[in-house]
C-alpha cells in the first residue's frame, strides 16, 4: 500500500540495515508524502533522511525544486 506510512517507515529502517540507502530514502519519502508535514512523525522521518545523507559514502541529496 503506497499510503501505509508505518510500512514505509519500517521498510526504510530495514533498508538502512541492509546498507541500501537509496531504497531507505525512497521509502521514507513515500511515508512523508502520505502524511501531513506537521505530523510529529514527519519531523522524525525528515531527521532520519538528513542523518542518512550525512553518513560516509552517502550520495548527494537530490536538489530541491526551486519552483
Amino acid at each position: 500500500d503506497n499510503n501505509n506510512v508505518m510500512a514505509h517507515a519500517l521498510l526504510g529502517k530495514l533498508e538502512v540495515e541492509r546498507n541500501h540507502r537509496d531504497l531507505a530514502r525512497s521509502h521514507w519519502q513515500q511515508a512523508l508524502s502520505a502524511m501531513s508535514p506537521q505530523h510529529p512523525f514527519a519531523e522524525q522521518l525528515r531527521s532520519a533522511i538528513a542523518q542518512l545523507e550525512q553518513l560516509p559514502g552517502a550520495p548527494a541529496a537530490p536538489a530541491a525544486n526551486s519552483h
Side-chain angles (χ1 to χ4, degrees), residues 12-55:
K13 184 178 182 323
L14 176 66
E15 294 301 352
V16 168
E17 292 170 1
R18 292 178 172 173
N19 203 30
H20 298 155
R21 296 175 185 173
D22 288 340
L23 290 173
R25 183 185 300 109
S26 177
H27 280 295
W28 288 341
Q29 288 173 336
Q30 189 91 15
L32 282 170
S33 71
M35 69 171 61
S36 165
Q38 290 78 31
H39 193 284
F41 190 50
E43 181 55 38
Q44 290 178 341
L45 288 172
R46 287 190 292 270
S47 177
I49 292 169
Q51 288 176 0
L52 183 68
E53 292 169 353
Q54 298 301 315
L55 293 174

